[in-house]
Amino acid sequence: MITRRRFSKIGALTSIGLATGISAKVVANSVKKESTNDKIGVGLIGCRSMGWVNLKDFIGNPDVECIALCDVDHAVLDERVKDVFEKTGKKPLVFNDYRKLLDLKEVDVVIIATPDHWHCLPFVDACKAGKDIYVEKPLANS
């Protein structure tokens, strides 16, 4: 039998593991690739702060490639395109509408790093598009 105290400790340790980026690596490694030569295509929705931190973790894996970025702020998009190019040598596609990013067949995984009140709709649409998803809490406001 598990006690409340033990459950709380397990939950706390899991949260620490997730906060350190372990989850990004797990998600990136869990996507099924058709061959060992294929890279996992990642799309980022919401490119400021935490979204960029998450994307850096993903593209730090040699089996991952940033395919596309999406943000409503053109200045943020321009800055992140430069950052991705510096890290990978490739320029990602850019979008202001996340639904266009979800239409790309090259995108296997979507990182959703929008403001909290915008997590749910891109999440649902990414599920419908058959994408693997990395999104942080909260999933919705209520």
Side-chain angles (χ1 to χ4, degrees):
M1 185 171 111
I2 190 166
T3 64
R4 280 186 288 172
R5 179 170 288 169
R6 176 118 173 94
F7 180 79
S8 296
K9 284 181 183 178
I10 292 169
L13 290 173
T14 302
S15 297
I16 291 168
L18 292 175
T20 60
I22 293 169
S23 58
K25 292 175 183 150
V26 170
V27 170
N29 290 328
S30 68
V31 175
K32 184 178 179 184
K33 298 187 296 181
E34 292 185 19
S35 85
T36 55
N37 295 329
D38 291 343
K39 290 194 174 213
I40 298 167
V42 176
L44 173 62
I45 303 171
C47 300
R48 193 180 296 270
S49 63
M50 199 64 211
W52 174 239
V53 171
N54 291 332
L55 183 64
K56 284 194 302 186
D57 282 344
F58 273 72
I59 60 178
N61 184 327
D63 293 330
V64 176
E65 179 179 358
C66 179
I67 302 295
L69 303 174
C70 177
D71 202 287
V72 295
D73 188 336
H74 292 284
V76 172
L77 269 178
D78 293 341
E79 182 181 344
R80 293 305 177 225
V81 167
K82 290 177 190 172
D83 293 338
V84 170
F85 183 75
E86 286 175 9
K87 292 201 170 297
T88 66
K90 295 182 179 180
K91 286 191 177 184
L93 301 171
V94 293
F95 300 99
N96 293 116
D97 185 343
Y98 74 88
R99 293 168 295 191
K100 292 180 181 175
L101 182 147
L102 294 177
D103 287 339
L104 297 173
K105 67 176 181 155
E106 299 88 359
V107 173
D108 302 306
V109 177
V110 177
I111 301 169
I112 300 173
T114 56
D116 292 348
H117 66 283
W118 263 100
H119 283 179
C120 189
L121 193 56
F123 179 85
V124 170
D125 289 340
C127 286
K128 288 179 182 177
K131 307 298 183 187
D132 289 303
I133 304 161
Y134 178 82
V135 61
E136 294 185 352
K137 63 180 183 349
L139 183 56
N141 286 340
S142 61

